[in-house]
Amino acid sequence: MKKLTLLGLATMFALTGCSDNKPTETSGTATGSPNATGAAKPAKLALNWSVASPYLANVTLPSGDKDFVKKAIEEKFNVDLKIDYMVIGKEYHDKLNATLAGGAAPDLFIAGGAESQKYITDGITANLTPYFTKEAIPNYYKWVSKDEVDAFQLKQGEFTRGIDPFQRNSYASWYIRQDWLDKLGLKSPKNYAELTNVLTQFTKGDPDGNGKQDSYGFSAAGSGVTLPLDFPQWLNNGFVADFQIVDNSYVDNRTDLKVQGVLEQVVEWNNAGIVDPDWFLNKAPAHFDKAAQGKVGMIFSLDKNTALDSSATSVQNRSKALDPKANWQPIYPLDKPVLWKYNVPEATILISKTTADKTPDKVKRSMEILNWLTGEEGFLLTHYGQEGKHYTKSGNKITLNVANFEADIAKAGNWLNVYAAFTPDEPNVLGLELIDSRISEHDRAILKTVESFPKHNALPPVSLVPPAGINIGDFRKEMSKFHIKAVLEDKSGKNWPQYREELMTKYKGRDIFTEYTKQINSVLKDKKLNDFK
């Protein structure tokens, strides 16, 4: 497998700051309280944060003291914290861009990788070289290594980005209505032809038995912008995630000449009427909502909770509420050697330059909070709630009090996800073990299946930075326009070669990818630089 292509997902990484002074340790005296020497409390600061993650759909923070995380942060660090939050994506970045354009940059904000490059280039973000050190935020560096962070700077030796801690393991999978397969007497598909047939039957065969042709085989969320990688046509044409490294050269999957085959096959499914016609305009999690409502029979998800009984808001539980026979199962529907990749960083934590210049104490305080969030105390509070009420702790074992956790957190929309945006749900990183009685044998079997799907190690050896003056976000925007033009306007992939050539020349694609290859080779120092054709 190692001789196959190494995969990657275009990533840019995050910017956070902290001061020369060491932040509060999780076991030490809290900032905002008198210390052992009787020093006075630091002045109360108003902090404005903007947070985004894939897991904030339909989330509303509770009011008052019910938001015990906000209360703990404000009391512990002597701050007034205002926190905005949305699902990460175009809508979030549009709102963030409007805020930035109005001159009201949040003190700390999360952004996507491509967006972070533009914010740095535009001078909106702070240079965190003197702040973002292993000595200053040691808890943070339990989640990412200094080598990883150093490797993903726009310029080596200049600290402008960090990494938003991310879940290493990948739970990528397509999920299918097994009960629909059973109802129609179908077997789980193992190749593209079988999959097309199954989705056709889901659309035309009345799988829910309501006597109406009101279901579709598949749905996704294009957000009015993109042809998402959820479509199995990408993998069916040999493309896993955004890019591959082949013979030490960068190959951009979404602008390869063979993308013509992807476009043709998506058009075929659209013409056959087996894809939810709203897929392009759907904004996540609209396609999950439709799946839960029994309107579609297959979706793609990176969320390990999608088909779990133990997650109150999973697609599985929401589907069963309407149809007790609903049974979502993970599938690997194509005869390809690799389904996905292990995760790589995809989001960044950024600090406003205005904040750093005018109120550096806000940077210090924000970084102290970040260090706490990534330490044991903050991690437990933001993932499992309050000790003694939502969980008990014995040594390194954390036992969830399911009844209280469900009542206060899970059934309230999993609102802790707002604060958990800074740490993935991987307690093992901190040497902890979670005991959750909700995890049934059914759920363990599903997780084992998803974890077994073959994946590549996707982390590239260096940060991939476009040539000076070229923004990868602008290039991707034009690329997506051409994908959608081919699928929805041309209804054919025949014009892709000329669209691609325009991307490679007018929009500097060839310059970008050749530069990426040079950066890869500067580290690997092996073989020659391959030309892009």
Side-chain angles (χ1 to χ4, degrees):
M1 185 66 70
K2 290 182 180 177
K3 293 182 180 179
L4 296 176
T5 55
L6 293 175
L7 303 184
L9 185 67
T11 60
M12 298 276 184
F13 302 38
L15 224 158
T16 40
C18 81
S19 89
D20 293 336
N21 296 324
K22 289 186 178 181
T24 303
E25 300 288 349
T26 56
S27 60
T29 303
T31 300
S33 302
N35 60 29
T37 63
K41 260 188 180 181
K44 178 173 277 193
L45 295 175
L47 296 181
N48 181 13
W49 287 13
S50 185
V51 173
S53 90
Y55 309 113
L56 297 182
N58 303 317
V59 169
T60 301
L61 285 176
S63 59
D65 288 351
K66 289 183 179 180
D67 186 347
F68 49 78
V69 178
K70 183 174 187 286
K71 181 182 179 184
I73 291 173
E74 291 187 334
E75 291 180 354
K76 190 175 186 68
F77 298 97
N78 200 28
V79 297
D80 286 321
L81 178 63
K82 179 180 182 295
I83 188 164
D84 293 321
Y85 51 93
M86 286 179 65
V87 174
I88 195 163
K90 182 180 184 300
E91 188 173 346
Y92 169 76
H93 287 107
D94 285 347
K95 180 180 178 181
L96 179 59
N97 289 339
T99 301
L100 296 174
D107 301 311
L108 178 149
F109 54 105
I110 288 177
E115 289 79 8
S116 71
Q117 180 196 350
K118 180 170 176 56
Y119 299 148
I120 293 167
T121 303
D122 290 350
I124 293 171
T125 60
N127 179 354
L128 299 179
T129 302
Y131 303 110
F132 210 90
T133 67
K134 194 171 183 178
E135 293 74 26
I137 45 175
N139 288 331
Y140 169 85
Y141 281 99
K142 295 174 183 177
W143 298 89
V144 296
S145 73
K146 188 174 185 303
D147 287 343
E148 286 176 328
V149 177
D150 288 346
F152 286 90
Q153 301 312 308
L154 290 174
K155 295 180 180 179
Q156 296 305 307
E158 182 178 296
F159 203 110
T160 54
R161 303 192 297 201
I163 298 173
D164 189 21
F166 61 102
Q167 181 177 277
R168 304 283 173 157
N169 200 5
S170 172
Y171 291 90
S173 179
W174 282 277
Y175 289 86
I176 200 164
R177 282 289 293 262
Q178 180 64 46
D179 55 309
W180 284 13
L181 290 173
D182 296 341
K183 173 77 165 32
L184 298 174
L186 300 170
K187 293 182 179 180
S188 186
K190 299 297 183 184
N191 57 52
Y192 186 74
E194 292 178 3
L195 177 61
T196 300
N197 177 61
V198 163
L199 300 187
T200 300
Q201 295 305 312
F202 279 3
T203 303
K204 300 180 179 180
D206 189 23
D208 55 6
N210 69 354
K212 302 177 183 178
Q213 191 172 313
D214 57 357
S215 58
Y216 294 95
F218 175 72
S219 188
S223 299
V225 176
T226 186
L227 179 66
L229 291 168
D230 298 35
F231 276 88
Q233 284 83 354
W234 290 102
L235 181 58
N236 192 53
N237 282 270
F239 301 125
V240 182
D242 282 5
F243 67 79
Q244 298 168 243
I245 300 173
V246 181
D247 294 332
N248 295 353
S249 288
Y250 179 97
V251 178
D252 193 68
N253 286 344
R254 290 181 292 168
T255 54
D256 192 270
L257 274 172
K258 292 185 294 184
V259 168
Q260 181 171 347
V262 176
L263 302 173
E264 294 282 4
Q265 290 179 347
V266 171
V267 169
E268 288 172 0
W269 274 20
N270 282 343
N271 289 343
I274 64 178
V275 181
D276 166 25
D278 296 328
W279 71 263
F280 176 60
L281 295 178
N282 285 340
K283 295 179 180 179
H287 55 317
F288 288 173
D289 294 340
K290 292 187 177 188
Q293 294 161 5
K295 295 180 179 179
V296 296
M298 190 180 83
I299 53 173
F300 179 82
S301 178
L302 297 170
D303 183 0
K304 68 179 181 180
N305 296 309
T306 299
L308 301 188
D309 289 334
S310 58
S311 175
T313 56
S314 69
V315 172
Q316 170 75 359
N317 271 329
R318 293 165 62 200
S319 297
K320 288 178 72 173
L322 298 176
D323 180 358
K325 295 180 180 179
N327 180 15
W328 287 94
Q329 290 290 325
I331 60 165
Y332 187 4
L334 300 173
D335 52 352
K336 302 299 176 183
V338 178
L339 183 148
W340 201 243
K341 60 186 173 39
Y342 289 105
N343 288 330
V344 297
E346 298 179 10
T348 67
I349 306 171
L350 304 170
I351 293 291
S352 160
K353 185 177 186 300
T354 300
T355 298
D357 290 345
K358 294 184 176 181
T359 322
D361 281 351
K362 288 190 176 184
V363 179
K364 176 180 183 290
R365 204 77 58 89
S366 289
M367 292 302 98
E368 290 174 346
I369 297 171
L370 176 64
N371 189 61
W372 177 80
L373 287 169
T374 52
E376 182 175 303
E377 183 181 317
F379 175 83
L380 290 174
L381 190 65
T382 58
H383 285 264
Y384 310 128
Q386 296 169 302
E387 184 174 5
K389 182 178 182 181
H390 301 113
Y391 73 89
T392 57
K393 184 175 184 292
S394 177
N396 71 331
K397 295 186 184 298
I398 309 301
T399 302
L400 209 61
N401 182 326
V402 171
N404 289 345
F405 185 87
E406 288 283 326
D408 296 343
I409 298 164
K411 291 182 179 178
N414 284 316
W415 59 270
L416 285 182
N417 287 346
V418 172
Y419 302 101
F422 297 95
T423 49
D425 191 13
E426 293 186 334
N428 58 296
V429 172
L430 298 175
L432 303 171
E433 177 185 350
L434 177 66
I435 300 172
D436 185 350
S437 61
R438 298 173 303 172
I439 306 298
S440 63
E441 288 303 316
H442 165 271
D443 288 1
R444 288 191 183 93
I446 285 178
L447 291 173
K448 185 176 180 181
T449 297
V450 175
E451 289 169 356
S452 72
F453 291 153
K455 310 174 191 74
H456 275 309
N457 182 0
L459 195 64
V462 291
S463 172
L464 298 176
V465 182
I470 299 178
N471 185 280
I472 189 63
D474 295 338
F475 173 82
R476 294 296 181 199
K477 182 177 180 181
E478 298 302 323
M479 174 199 74
S480 292
K481 286 181 180 179
F482 282 130
H483 287 164
I484 298 308
K485 180 177 175 61
V487 170
L488 299 184
E489 294 182 26
D490 302 343
K491 296 185 180 351
S492 169
K494 66 181 181 180
N495 293 324
W496 174 248
Q498 70 188 59
Y499 294 160
R500 179 185 184 274
E501 185 59 24
E502 188 170 348
L503 286 170
M504 293 299 105
T505 53
K506 180 178 178 180
Y507 296 105
K508 309 296 183 182
R510 190 167 285 108
D511 294 342
I512 294 171
F513 304 143
T514 299
E515 176 62 23
Y516 284 178
T517 294
K518 289 179 181 178
Q519 293 167 16
I520 291 167
N521 275 263
S522 71
V523 173
L524 297 180
K525 294 184 174 67
D526 187 23
K527 298 185 180 181
K528 65 179 182 179
L529 176 66
N530 293 333
D531 293 328
F532 284 84
K533 299 179 180 179

